[in-house]
Structure formats: C-alpha cells, structure tokens
C-alpha cells in the first residue's frame, strides 16, 4: 500500500496547522467579547480605545498577513450600531462605575442621585455658559455658625463627590454666607467662616472621594455674592450655601 504523505513547509511542521489553531483562538476570543458586550453597557469612546489597543497588540505580535487584514473595523462598528438603536441611554449607568465621566454624564447622574436622596429642595444643578454649579444649601452640610461638616452631610457629599472624582475639569469650591455678621474667636468675620467651610469640603472630597487635589480650589466669598436679597430669613438661608463650580 502506498502511504499518503502530508504536506509540510520543509521544516517538518505541517503547513497550515498553526493557522487553523490561531483562527480557532481568534474566533473564541471574538465570541467571548461579544458575550461580554451583551451583558454590559459600554461607553463608546472607551470601547473604541480598547479595540484600537487590542488591534495594536496583535499587530506587534506578528507581521503575518492575517493580522494586517483584520483591522478591528467590525468590532468598532458593533458599538456604532448599538448606539444607533438606543444603546446610548445606557451610558448613564455605565459612567457611574467607569474611570472617567463627561460633564453631561455628570449632570445626569447627579440629578438622579439628588432625586433618589430626596434632596431636590436643598441641592440643585445649575448650568451656565462656562460652568456647571452644584449648589448645596448650608443646612445639608453645616450647623449654624459652624464649619465642621455634619455626619449626615458627609454621607451626601460622599455620594456626589464620587461623581466629581471622575471629572477631568477644574473645580472651585465656593463658600458663601448671608449678610448677618459673625464675631467669634474662631471666625472673626464671614470671610473666615466661608473660607473654612469651603476648605473643609475640599479636604473631605480629596480624602474620601479621590478628587485630584491639583484640580480643586477652595474660595471664601463671605456675604458678597448673594443669590437672593438678605431681607428675610428664607432668603438669607438661600445665601448660606456651598457652590461646587465645575469649569467647562
């Protein structure tokens, strides 16, 4: 009987066997990523960056033709198709666990958190041309005439501060008071009180929320930037506040 000979590439290794094995591996990896994608919401920018990173890694591993022909286009297109049919709404939930967050995602997540906490009357998000302000009524954070953050205020600040830590924007923490004078050994005037409150908020955000100290600055404004006339107690309470100003 004549034995059949298997073709080799001259080195004793069966030609094409490595390619078959590699193709199976790539197919399995693709299935894995598609499966993971089906269970998760995906930030498009992050996923595209990941896809490009994977592509670059494979290109560095080999100069084979199969790598250069597979440029990852279909993987990125999958994300585009997903967002086109409504997946964009899922960005909000994903942003809360991702490393970075856009300012638009920040507003959506913070608005929801404030509503969930039942604090719509005391905390508001105000958008202007060059900045977004997260405004805290001082009742949430401080006792009257004090600058130490209340324990209940720390819980609220922690929840919202976690979102601040995901921003790449410059952040100003502004302390404000009403026009009633204060004169204590610790706070000779409203300047000291407003500045100390802002500073304590900054220190808390850095220590407990991971906010980058290079991106956050405390300022005290005393009574000189009111949002309402200081003619009633209700209006004066509006002026006693902490403004977290995020520069666009």
């Amino acid at each position: 009987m004549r034995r059949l000979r298997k073709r080799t590439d001259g080195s004793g290794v069966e030609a094409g066997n490595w390619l078959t094995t590699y193709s199976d591996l790539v197919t399995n990896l693709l299935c894995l990523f598609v499966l993971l994608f089906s269970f998760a919401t995906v930030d498009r920018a992050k996923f595209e960056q990941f896809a490009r990173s994977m592509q670059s890694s494979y290109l560095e591993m080999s100069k084979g033709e199969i790598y250069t022909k597979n440029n990852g286009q279909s993987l990125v297109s999958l994300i585009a198709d997903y967002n086109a049919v409504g997946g964009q709404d899922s960005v909000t939930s994903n942003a809360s666990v991702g490393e970075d967050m856009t300012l638009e995602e920040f507003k959506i997540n913070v608005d929801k958190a404030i509503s969930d906490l039942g604090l719509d009357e005391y905390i508001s998000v105000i958008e202007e041309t060059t900045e977004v302000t997260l405004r805290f009524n001082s009742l949430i954070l401080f006792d009257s005439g004090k600058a130490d953050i209340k324990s209940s205020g720390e819980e609220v600040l922690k929840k919202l501060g976690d979102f601040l830590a995901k921003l790449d924007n410059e952040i100003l923490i502004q302390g404000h008071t009403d026009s009633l004078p204060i004169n204590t050994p610790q706070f000779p005037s409203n300047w000291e009180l407003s500045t100390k409150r802002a500073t304590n908020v900054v220190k808390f955000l850095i220590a407990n929320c991971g906010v980058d100290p290079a991106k956050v600055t405390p300022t005290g404004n005393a009574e000189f930037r009111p949002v309402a006339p200081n003619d009633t107690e209700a209006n004066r309470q509006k002026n006693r506040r902490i403004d977290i100003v995020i520069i666009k």
Side-chain angles (χ1 to χ4, degrees):
M1 294 178 61
R2 184 176 60 179
R3 292 192 305 170
L4 296 177
R5 292 188 177 183
K6 295 183 179 180
R7 297 176 57 191
T8 68
D9 59 3
S11 61
V13 179
E14 294 183 10
N17 283 1
W18 69 273
L19 185 58
T20 301
T21 302
Y22 171 76
S23 298
D24 290 341
L25 175 62
V26 171
T27 301
N28 290 334
L29 285 175
L30 178 60
C31 291
L32 172 62
F33 287 128
V34 171
L35 181 62
L36 291 176
F37 174 76
S38 67
F39 285 111
T41 55
V42 180
D43 182 290
R44 179 176 181 177
K46 286 291 183 182
F47 197 82
E48 287 181 352
Q49 182 182 12
F50 167 75
R52 288 193 295 270
S53 176
M54 290 291 292
Q55 173 194 352
S56 299
S57 297
Y58 281 122
L59 286 172
E60 288 298 318
M61 288 172 58
S62 170
K63 302 301 181 181
E65 184 180 11
I66 188 171
Y67 300 110
T68 58
K69 285 186 177 181
N70 184 7
N71 59 8
Q73 180 66 34
S74 59
L75 193 60
V76 176
S77 296
L78 181 62
I79 303 304
D81 294 340
Y82 170 74
N83 286 332
V85 296
Q88 187 65 33
D89 293 339
S90 63
V91 171
T92 301
S93 59
N94 184 63
S96 63
V97 296
E99 292 183 0
D100 298 315
M101 180 181 291
T102 67
L103 199 51
E104 187 62 31
E105 292 168 345
F106 171 81
K107 290 187 298 179
I108 295 173
N109 280 275
V110 166
D111 275 333
K112 184 179 185 305
I114 293 172
S115 179
D116 291 344
L117 291 168
L119 296 174
D120 302 81
E121 184 179 352
Y122 301 99
I123 307 175
S124 56
V125 180
I126 304 165
E127 182 169 12
E128 299 178 274
T129 304
T130 59
E131 61 197 33
V132 173
T133 299
L134 183 58
R135 178 161 293 166
F136 289 78
N137 189 307
S138 67
L139 288 173
I140 296 294
L141 301 176
F142 308 103
D143 290 323
S144 179
K146 305 292 185 180
D148 296 328
I149 303 174
K150 298 188 294 187
S151 57
S152 58
E154 288 182 346
E155 295 177 8
V156 175
L157 203 56
K158 177 65 170 66
K159 290 180 182 295
L160 302 184
D162 288 340
F163 296 128
L164 287 171
K166 295 177 173 64
L167 292 175
D168 194 31
N169 304 65
E170 180 184 357
I171 302 172
L172 305 178
I173 311 296
Q174 300 176 344
H176 301 270
T177 68
D178 60 22
S179 60
L180 297 179
I182 186 174
N183 186 6
T184 66
Q186 187 177 9
F187 306 116
S189 73
N190 283 324
W191 286 112
E192 287 82 7
L193 177 60
S194 61
T195 301
K196 184 62 175 177
R197 284 181 169 181
T199 300
N200 284 347
V201 170
V202 167
K203 293 168 67 175
F204 180 88
L205 292 175
I206 293 172
N208 299 278
C209 304
V211 172
D212 186 349
K215 296 177 181 177
V216 61
T217 304
T219 64
N221 298 276
E223 68 267 28
F224 298 104
R225 295 187 183 181
V227 294
N230 283 288
D231 53 1
T232 66
E233 175 56 29
N235 280 344
R236 284 192 290 270
Q237 185 57 60
K238 293 178 183 178
N239 292 328
R240 297 192 288 265
R241 68 193 193 276
I242 288 289
D243 283 349
I244 299 180
V245 180
I246 305 153
I247 307 301
K248 288 187 179 180

